Amino acid sequence: MRKLALNDEILLSIDKPARYIGGEVNSVMKDKKTVSIRFAMCFPDVYEIGMSHLGIQILYDMFNRREDVWCERVYSPWVDLDKILRERGIPLFALESQDPVKDFDFLGITLQYEMCYTNVLQILDLSQIPLLAEDRGEGWEYPLVIGGGPCAYNPEPIAPFFDMFYIGEGEVVYDALLDLYKKCRAKGMNRPEFLHKAAQLPGIYVPSLYQVSYNEDGTIASFAPVCGDIPSVISRQAVLDMTAAPYPDAPVVPFIKATQDRVVLEIQRGCIRGCRFCQAGMIYRPTRERSLDCLKEHAYRMLKNTGHEEISLSSLSSSDYSDLPGIVNFLIGEFGSGNINISLPSLRIDAFSLDVMSKVQDVRKSSLTFAPEAGSQRLRDVINKGLTEEVILSGADQAFHGGWNKVKLYFMLGLPLEEEEDRKAIAHLAELIAEKYYEIPKDQRNGKCQINVSTSFFVPKPFTPFQWARMYHPGDYLGFAKTVNHEIKAMKNQKSIRYNWHQADVTLLEGIFARGDRRIAGVILDAYKNGALYDAWTEYWDYGRWLAAFARAGVDMDFYTQRERAEDEIFPWDFIDIGVTKKFLLSEWKKAKQGIVTPNCREKCSGCGAARYKGGVCAEGKN
Amino acid sequence: MKFIGHLDVMRYFQKAIRRAGIDIAFTEGLSPHMIMSFAAPLGVGLTSDAEYMDIELNTPPSSGKAVIDALNAAGTEGITVTGFWQIPEDKANKAMSLVAAADYELRFRGGCAPAGDWQSQISHFFAQKEIVVLKKTKKAEKEADIRPMIYEMSVNAGTVFMKLAAGSAANLKPELVMDAYLHSIGVEPEPFAYEIHRCEVYANLGNEKKRRLVPLGALGREIVDESPAGPDDNVQETAYI
């Protein structure tokens, strides 16, 4: 039997011990004596969340295909085990071998949302790895700590905690990085020598090799490498042939129920829509599809190898997949009768999607989701959300006639150029949808309708046209939500409309982490040392603790949140080249202010810059 | 696998059955689920050699061994299927209601055994006519005589053997018996001190006064070659750490 890192007494005294024992179906065991590189792959949140993440599954599979690498998994210990590990000085361990993380060659941490930053420090701390990269010495006492994922597109607020970052999609450069590591270790190079070499690989950013200077007003004056053979611009790595890219045929099947307890089929990467608030829509350009045949193969193999009873499509906008009927009809025809549930998220509501959804779900129980994001057509044009009131209402009308009576509506508040009328328009749109329902004769409808309106507060993200935008104060945000609430209460069908909104203060922090610079790192470290952890979890979120940390560090929150940036300001993330140019983003920001919409990539190329990758939608019809 | 709760063990088998390609029957209706039931849910922290579940198949398997091999090939270390029997129509899907008793072995974890001679009084404890303990229910604590639910109890070289009432009619947990014993000799039980292993689960083919306990596995019959009609099967699952 595998020896576990924790004894029975500990495991039986904590919640869900299965989070920490490994040994799941399809987890990969190797003989550590036969591998050259041990890689600990971490999602800095609790097991059930981390196990649901597709990106790690892809890299876990890809790394373990190499005979010389053993990749294992690590997640954040929940607060109960966190306390025990600290009290007893037990080092954090990887699930497969149960060996301490500090004995590994690499610790890779995926950064999927900003509010995980204190959990990153927890992982390092419990692993007994110095929190600051500069304290890890010149030798090989500690693993190389490498960050990746969407938040690595502005790594600066957490730069001092990492030895390096991988900018872009993992499938591309990791093999070269691992080969380089083996070569450097064989030659007897030390840690700084290896990092210097690694910094010359495309997509690899080593923060210690770059220096920042600031203007008197606090903005960045310059950002440059400290020596001449290090690139001044890091180019983000993108997979060009999705069909040929590795994809796991046998993902790990947890003993306990993960958030995503199903087979996930990534049908495409990227989005053609160009919504101006959306970071994913920019950093994953160009949109690239997997072929239908390849998807069919993966669907068969993954269902067979996992035994999952559900399969779901994954993409930013499934309706834009060029052969959506092909994949959907295949899934229904092939698996629909075998007691496999089929889940079809992010579908535009139209006749086709309603037809297929009525085949795969119970119409009476399920709800339909619209994401208009803004209440008024004017503001939807500002954010370039190409969804019109007419389309929403006709979609709702068709859905109601098809038997649905539950609708979810998602909006954002605090968008650039948003005014009082736009907020009230959220209530008006919900009311119009309710009225559509009650136009149906009473004997043909299914009781009352239920419209759930949710708003989140908008956070400007790097590499979007709104990266120049200002944010608001917590009190302002709550005022915006109040306006919506009041207006909904004034509607005729208010009893059919439910409204809930998100916390406001966490939005501010998310905004600071998203667009912050290196000076934020000290605040994160201070907050962590004063108890901040699991900030993404409402029950552990403590705004006061963060306010105190900013005050102690003398860092002005408003500088990061309340300022509309000048057009020529140097951003902390400007050294990364994602393909989409800053010039394009700025022209989109200007168009937003004029309410001019930009067509999607298939309608007309807008020259965003992603065409330099020479792939995906940019190359469609040009072969 | 003692750290996996009962519901997760069910989920494990649902997925293992799909991976193994076993043609299991589903319930009718809007949300069909596999026809599968466990005889006696095992608590977290316990290991076992004798977990039984009923499943219903659409097509008879070529042999019991074929099913055992397929499930083990699709399984993971720590959960092994050791037997597969066809059970008679009148006992199908009734594993849970058939359960009447179970055997347990209890040891102290390393370093957790009470100091001195804690073993010699066990036969005296078992010889009592009445053993009254405080049983916690959801609402309150109440006194109960657990002696009628203890069918056997003995100790051999530090391992306590117990045959206890189990199932829906009467169920007694081995840790409760051990706690009561330790209290009777003036020892305060410590948390997580026991290692408990379930050895067998029985049905009672006699009556309440005169028990005739038979292992659940003995109620079915081996499936060899072409299986005759009757799709109900009983799987024994072994869990060990």
Side-chain angles (χ1 to χ4, degrees):
Chain A
M1 278 316 289
R2 290 160 61 249
K3 182 156 170 37
L4 299 180
L6 303 173
N7 64 31
D8 286 9
E9 180 217 333
I10 295 176
L11 284 167
L12 293 175
S13 66
I14 55 179
D15 192 29
K16 298 189 183 167
R19 287 167 172 164
Y20 312 106
I21 61 173
E24 306 97 322
V25 167
N26 297 332
S27 61
V28 177
M29 293 302 292
K30 293 190 181 188
D31 179 355
K32 61 184 171 191
K33 290 193 280 300
T34 66
V35 298
S36 334
I37 300 174
R38 299 193 64 188
F39 200 114
M41 185 65 83
C42 171
F43 190 109
D45 207 318
V46 76
Y47 178 88
E48 298 92 305
I49 305 276
M51 279 301 292
S52 306
H53 181 240
L54 178 64
I56 283 193
Q57 291 173 18
I58 291 176
L59 294 181
Y60 180 81
D61 169 69
M62 188 179 103
F63 287 3
N64 280 323
R65 288 186 197 193
R66 286 178 64 130
E67 280 190 4
D68 56 348
V69 178
W70 185 9
C71 178
E72 306 183 36
R73 294 158 298 140
V74 190
Y75 303 100
S76 303
W78 190 241
V79 290
D80 52 359
L81 181 61
D82 174 283
K83 188 162 171 277
I84 293 171
L85 294 183
R86 282 172 207 273
E87 279 170 4
R88 308 197 186 180
I90 302 171
L92 184 62
F93 51 91
L95 293 183
E96 281 77 358
S97 66
Q98 300 272 309
D99 286 341
V101 171
K102 66 178 172 191
D103 297 339
F104 280 60
D105 298 283
F106 284 89
L107 168 57
I109 303 179
T110 184
L111 304 162
Q112 294 294 317
Y113 30 82
E114 290 82 4
M115 299 321 290
C116 76
Y117 289 170
T118 50
N119 280 56
V120 170
L121 292 175
Q122 178 215 29
I123 294 284
L124 295 172
D125 207 3
L126 295 178
S127 299
Q128 303 173 0
I129 296 169
L131 301 183
L132 295 175
E134 63 184 30
D135 295 335
R136 292 177 200 147
E138 301 211 332
W140 294 104
E141 195 183 341
Y142 301 107
L144 290 156
V145 181
I146 180 165
C151 295
Y153 286 78
N154 175 23
E156 290 302 275
I158 46 174
F161 313 135
F162 285 83
D163 295 297
M164 49 184 158
F165 289 94
Y166 183 117
I167 314 292
E169 295 163 12
E171 292 100 327
V172 189
V173 183
Y174 259 120
D175 272 329
L177 181 71
L178 297 172
D179 289 340
L180 177 73
Y181 174 76
K182 259 170 73 174
K183 209 172 93 191
C184 291
R185 290 300 302 268
K187 281 188 180 167
M189 285 187 189
N190 68 16
R191 191 180 185 101
E193 284 164 348
F194 165 74
L195 286 172
H196 198 104
K197 287 267 181 212
Q200 292 165 340
L201 285 176
I204 302 295
Y205 167 55
V206 176
S208 60
L209 297 176
Y210 295 78
Q211 223 163 20
V212 199
S213 67
Y214 300 93
N215 296 312
E216 259 179 45
D217 65 2
T219 56
I220 291 175
S222 70
F223 184 100
V226 293
C227 37
D229 59 350
I230 301 296
S232 54
V233 171
I234 308 286
S235 98
R236 157 253 172 178
Q237 302 301 298
V239 172
L240 288 178
D241 185 350
M242 288 293 287
T243 298
Y247 201 69
D249 279 332
V252 178
V253 184
F255 287 116
I256 54 174
K257 201 173 159 79
T259 314
Q260 181 97 259
D261 179 37
R262 52 185 75 86
V263 164
V264 177
L265 210 49
E266 188 194 25
I267 59 174
Q268 61 188 352
R269 207 170 282 179
C271 178
I272 59 171
R273 299 273 144 188
C275 299
R276 290 180 178 132
F277 53 84
C278 179
Q279 188 188 42
M282 295 295 158
I283 64 177
Y284 296 118
R285 284 189 173 205
T287 304
R288 294 143 290 157
E289 300 187 342
R290 278 201 165 88
S291 77
L292 184 57
D293 287 342
C294 150
L295 292 172
K296 288 179 179 176
E297 281 284 308
H298 285 307
Y300 277 122
R301 285 195 224 129
M302 292 172 85
L303 283 169
K304 171 77 190 150
N305 291 333
T306 58
H308 283 315
E309 44 285 280
E310 183 166 338
I311 184 165
S312 170
L313 300 183
S314 166
S315 80
L316 292 166
S317 168
S318 297
S319 293
D320 294 325
Y321 183 72
S322 48
D323 195 0
L324 185 72
I327 185 66
V328 168
N329 290 329
F330 163 77
L331 292 178
I332 294 173
E334 205 60 32
F335 306 117
S337 57
N339 292 306
I340 299 273
N341 297 325
I342 296 162
S343 150
L344 304 167
S346 77
L347 280 189
R348 219 174 16 249
I349 307 300
D350 56 22
F352 169 76
S353 64
L354 289 171
D355 178 51
V356 298
M357 278 189 277
S358 67
K359 287 179 189 161
V360 303
Q361 52 184 228
D362 182 0
V363 169
R364 283 169 306 168
K365 283 187 197 153
S366 61
S367 64
L368 288 178
T369 304
F370 293 92
E373 308 293 1
S376 69
Q377 194 56 48
R378 183 196 74 84
L379 196 56
R380 282 195 294 272
D381 288 346
V382 167
I383 64 177
N384 207 42
K385 181 86 196 184
L387 188 60
T388 62
E389 186 172 294
E390 198 189 330
V391 169
I392 297 168
L393 291 179
S394 88
D397 191 47
Q398 290 174 59
F400 292 150
H401 279 98
W404 275 273
N405 65 353
K406 292 191 195 76
V407 175
K408 283 186 201 159
L409 297 172
Y410 289 114
F411 298 93
M412 283 186 286
L413 286 172
L415 286 161
L417 298 121
E418 175 187 295
E419 283 162 26
E420 189 83 354
E421 278 313 303
D422 300 309
R423 289 165 207 137
K424 289 184 178 169
I426 291 173
H428 304 158
L429 184 57
E431 170 66 19
L432 285 176
I433 292 172
E435 284 171 10
K436 270 272 175 254
Y437 182 77
Y438 293 109
E439 276 171 17
I440 298 174
K442 215 169 187 174
D443 55 332
Q444 289 168 36
R445 65 192 194 220
N446 177 17
K448 290 179 77 165
C449 73
Q450 195 185 98
I451 296 169
N452 281 308
V453 175
S454 288
T455 60
S456 60
F457 299 113
F458 168 66
V459 176
K461 294 281 168 101
F463 295 111
T464 65
F466 289 166
Q467 61 182 350
W468 284 273
R470 61 160 296 181
M471 295 181 72
Y472 299 89
H473 291 290
D476 299 329
Y477 286 120
L478 292 176
F480 299 162
K482 222 171 171 179
T483 303
V484 177
N485 202 27
H486 271 282
E487 195 69 9
I488 285 176
K489 293 284 171 288
M491 294 294 113
K492 194 174 87 212
N493 289 302
Q494 52 119 339
K495 281 189 176 155
S496 299
I497 307 172
R498 273 193 220 156
Y499 175 50
N500 59 72
W501 60 93
H502 287 205
Q503 274 172 294
D505 45 15
V506 73
T507 304
L508 269 288
L509 257 283
E510 208 182 314
I512 294 172
F513 294 166
R515 292 190 297 170
D517 51 45
R518 286 189 187 188
R519 292 169 293 187
I520 298 300
V523 183
I524 296 173
L525 189 58
D526 179 279
Y528 169 74
K529 288 189 167 162
N530 283 287
L533 190 64
Y534 281 107
D535 292 302
W537 293 69
T538 319
E539 61 264 50
Y540 294 105
W541 166 248
D542 182 348
Y543 189 49
R545 184 147 52 200
W546 282 98
L547 289 178
F550 274 94
R552 275 192 297 271
V555 173
D556 176 19
M557 296 171 77
D558 288 358
F559 172 79
Y560 296 96
T561 57
Q562 305 300 321
R563 230 167 25 90
E564 177 169 334
R565 274 62 163 168
E567 287 179 4
D568 60 351
E569 181 169 332
I570 299 175
F571 295 133
W573 54 90
D574 275 355
F575 70 96
I576 294 170
D577 173 12
I578 63 159
V580 176
T581 61
K582 194 171 182 182
K583 192 173 144 226
F584 171 76
L585 296 174
L586 186 61
S587 76
E588 282 290 292
W589 177 224
K590 288 177 179 166
K591 278 189 185 171
K593 290 182 169 176
Q594 298 162 53
I596 301 173
V597 297
T598 296
N600 76 48
C601 298
R602 285 218 174 91
E603 285 166 356
K604 181 177 176 290
C605 174
S606 302
C608 72
R612 79 162 164 81
Y613 286 99
K614 298 191 169 57
V617 67
C618 306
E620 274 174 22
K622 288 181 188 165
N623 299 326
Chain B
M1 288 306 115
K2 60 184 162 187
F3 302 112
I4 315 294
H6 165 65
L7 290 176
D8 290 324
V9 171
M10 290 256 303
R11 277 170 24 84
Y12 170 85
F13 274 101
Q14 285 161 0
K15 291 184 197 281
I17 282 168
R18 285 182 189 271
R19 289 193 297 272
I22 290 168
D23 187 14
I24 192 169
F26 283 79
T27 58
E28 305 280 322
L30 277 173
S31 53
H33 55 269
M34 289 183 183
I35 300 181
M36 167 196 281
S37 65
F38 273 75
L42 188 71
V44 173
L46 275 68
T47 55
S48 173
D49 273 338
E51 294 305 294
Y52 293 90
M53 69 173 183
D54 273 352
I55 58 174
E56 188 174 318
L57 302 187
N58 289 320
T59 45
S62 59
S63 70
K65 189 174 178 305
V67 178
I68 294 171
D69 291 348
L71 277 173
N72 286 335
T76 189
E77 193 184 14
I79 301 181
T80 310
V81 177
T82 57
F84 187 83
W85 303 277
Q86 183 175 347
I87 55 178
E89 203 68 46
D90 64 318
K91 299 206 166 51
N93 298 321
K94 283 183 183 163
M96 193 174 254
S97 59
L98 289 172
V99 172
D103 289 344
Y104 301 93
E105 282 177 0
L106 182 151
R107 268 174 230 93
F108 285 97
R109 279 180 217 295
C112 292
D117 171 23
W118 58 268
Q119 302 180 37
S120 61
Q121 297 299 311
I122 282 188
S123 55
H124 176 72
F125 176 76
F126 181 54
Q128 296 175 94
K129 286 226 161 64
E130 195 183 71
I131 300 173
V132 177
V133 299
L134 273 180
K135 258 193 146 178
K136 276 182 196 149
T137 63
K138 274 171 193 159
K139 284 177 188 163
E141 285 187 339
K142 65 174 187 190
E143 289 197 333
D145 178 15
I146 59 170
R147 179 60 189 83
M149 291 187 275
I150 307 175
Y151 302 153
E152 282 177 39
M153 187 170 181
S154 60
V155 63
N156 183 12
T159 298
V160 179
F161 174 82
M162 287 177 252
K163 190 185 287 290
L164 305 176
S168 41
N171 192 64
L172 186 59
K173 291 180 174 174
E175 57 269 34
L176 191 94
V177 179
M178 197 62 192
D179 283 357
Y181 169 65
L182 290 180
H183 277 136
S184 76
I185 59 167
V187 173
E188 187 55 36
E190 282 180 48
F192 314 115
Y194 310 140
E195 268 177 14
I196 302 171
H197 184 75
R198 180 144 77 188
C199 312
E200 188 53 273
V201 176
Y202 301 93
N204 182 9
L205 298 187
N207 55 39
E208 247 179 72
K209 284 193 178 138
K210 194 159 183 243
R211 281 186 298 273
R212 190 160 75 81
L213 297 178
V214 178
L216 285 191
L219 299 178
R221 58 181 195 78
E222 300 280 339
I223 307 167
V224 278
D225 297 322
E226 286 305 299
S227 170
D232 307 311
D233 301 281
N234 189 330
V235 174
Q236 182 190 2
E237 167 238 331
T238 304
Y240 60 90
I241 287 278

